[in-house]
Structures are given as structure tokens and as C-alpha cells.
Amino acid sequence: MYVAISGVILMEKRKLIPFYLDMSNGTINETNFFFLEHLLKARADLNFETGHHDYDQEVNVYLAGLMNSLIVCGPIINQKPYISAFDADVRSWLESHPGARNTYIVYRDNADFRLLLLGLFEGCEHKGAYQHIVLADDADHGRAAIYYELAASALMHLQGSNNALVNIYHTLSDTITETIQILKRAAVTYFNLLERISEGSLYHLEKEINDAQNNTAYTEMLDNFLKLYSLYKENPTEEYHKSLLELSEKLKVINKAFRFDEFD
């Protein structure tokens, strides 16, 4: 199905609501539903269907909203100097801006940013990051998980453990690697954010890998053959004779030009 994202934004209750036009049937829907639908498809593709974890449904809605926010307010991220690749920078910013609410926001935003970067935009530079860090060189799933845990703790301190976001952050922390895989699948298969390897390119890539492996195996096997032949010349036993014949047959399989006719 081909889907076109519309550039028109509706205003409803002072909220900007982006929508898209489905070219296959002419219907118009909110982009939030677009992201949610294809996130669920990516889950199914990877056999990570909703229900494996207690709060998967809530996490799906959160992730869809997170991706939708890139359309509504993406430029705002350039105004967040506390986003950084380094824990020391994050802690330093919080030391200069203390308070439970700041702690929650800083860890949440750093976790969200890292999650989207690793899942959707791996290899991209965030020019608004603190000290203009290239986060693509630091693909650390664990740090995002820790940040979600810290955000959950700060939110519990502010609003108690009954807040639904607390459970969402805990679930994201526990399933960070799985979640990143789902986002990557959606980015490649449904959002066209990453280039997909064609079947032809994949075939040639696999062939090159197999050829390289065969060349390495052939070189090692040939070295062993020459060593064994040297031993045979010094001590021509039946055991060496048999081993040389077996090795020569294996070498012929890899390299049809190989010949060993001494025993003929």
C-alpha cells in the first residue's frame, strides 16, 4: 500500500494534528494511527506480538506518539542542550538544574532520543546535542534502558507509582533491545527511512562472503597438505598416504584446478 504524508496540519483545541492521505483508498487519517498500525506490523514480522509483556499495548501507543511528535514538534529537540552521548554531561546539567521534575524530563528525553536514534535514525548526527556529539558511534542500548529506569523513579517521586507512564518506562527499560529491533524493522520495511538491500545485492554479498570463506579454507587446507606431504616424503606410511588422498579430494572440491597425481 502506498501512503502519502500530507503537508496540511489541522488545528483542533489548539493542538496541531498531522494527518496522511492513503493513496490506495483516498481516506485521510491521523499520522499517529499510521505509526501505530505499522509498529504493530513490525512486531508481528519479528514475532514480538503485543501481549508478550504486561504493558505492550501502552508501550505501542507511547512509541507511536513518540514518532508522531517528530512531525509535530521535531525542531524543538534543537533547543534541548541536556541531550548528550555522555552520562557525565547529563549529570553535570542536572547538577546545574536540580529538582525532581528536571531529573524526570532530562532522563526521559535522553532515553527517548537515544531510542529513536538507534531504532529509526542510526548513523545520523544531532546538531542540537550537547557539544554536537555524534551519537551514532555510541550504540549503547543499556544506557537508554538505564535512563528509562531513572525517568520512572523520578516520576514515581513526583506523582506516585500509579502513573501509567511509570509502567511504560519500566517495560521499555526491560525490553529495550527488542523495542529497538521493532523500530528498525518499521524504519526499513514500512517507513523507508533506511535503505533496504535488494535481493540481487544480497545474493552477490552472500557469494562474496562464501568465496572469501572458501579462499581462507583453501589456503589453510593447502598449508596442511604441504606439511603432510613433507612428512610423507620423510616417512611414507600408509596413514600419511590415505590422509593425502583425502585432503587432495577436499582441495579439488574448492579449487577444480588443483591436481595431485603422484600416487596415480
Side-chain angles (χ1 to χ4, degrees), residues 200-220:
S201 298
L202 185 60
Y203 168 79
H204 289 295
L205 179 60
E206 290 176 343
K207 187 176 183 303
E208 288 177 8
I209 292 173
N210 289 332
D211 289 345
Q213 290 174 338
N214 287 337
N215 288 337
T216 301
Y218 179 78
T219 301
E220 293 177 353

Side-chain angles (χ1 to χ4, degrees), residues 53-73:
H53 311 288
D54 289 340
Y55 295 94
D56 279 349
Q57 291 185 352
E58 291 82 355
V59 167
N60 289 338
V61 174
Y62 182 85
L63 293 175
L66 199 57
M67 288 185 284
N68 199 51
S69 71
L70 295 175
I71 299 174
V72 179
C73 56

Side-chain angles (χ1 to χ4, degrees), residues 2 29 61 104 135 150 155 169 176 206:
Y2 180 78
N29 297 293
V61 174
Y104 164 61
L135 298 183
L150 292 172
L155 187 58
Y169 295 144
I176 194 68
E206 290 176 343

Side-chain angles (χ1 to χ4, degrees), residues 35 37 47 49 66 83 121 193 211 244 248:
F35 289 123
E37 177 186 0
N47 295 317
E49 287 90 348
L66 199 57
I83 292 179
F121 307 111
L193 293 177
D211 289 345
L244 282 170
S248 67

Side-chain angles (χ1 to χ4, degrees), residues 11 26 64 75 82 100 107 151 153 164 187 199 209 216 227 239-240 247 258:
M11 182 70 77
Y82 51 77
Y107 283 126
S153 297
E199 292 295 329
I209 292 173
T216 301
K227 291 176 184 177
E239 183 179 352
Y240 285 151
L247 263 179
F258 177 81

Side-chain angles (χ1 to χ4, degrees), residues 160-177:
S161 59
N162 292 328
N163 189 298
L165 283 172
V166 172
N167 294 321
I168 291 173
Y169 295 144
H170 282 312
T171 302
L172 284 170
S173 179
D174 293 339
T175 63
I176 194 68
T177 299

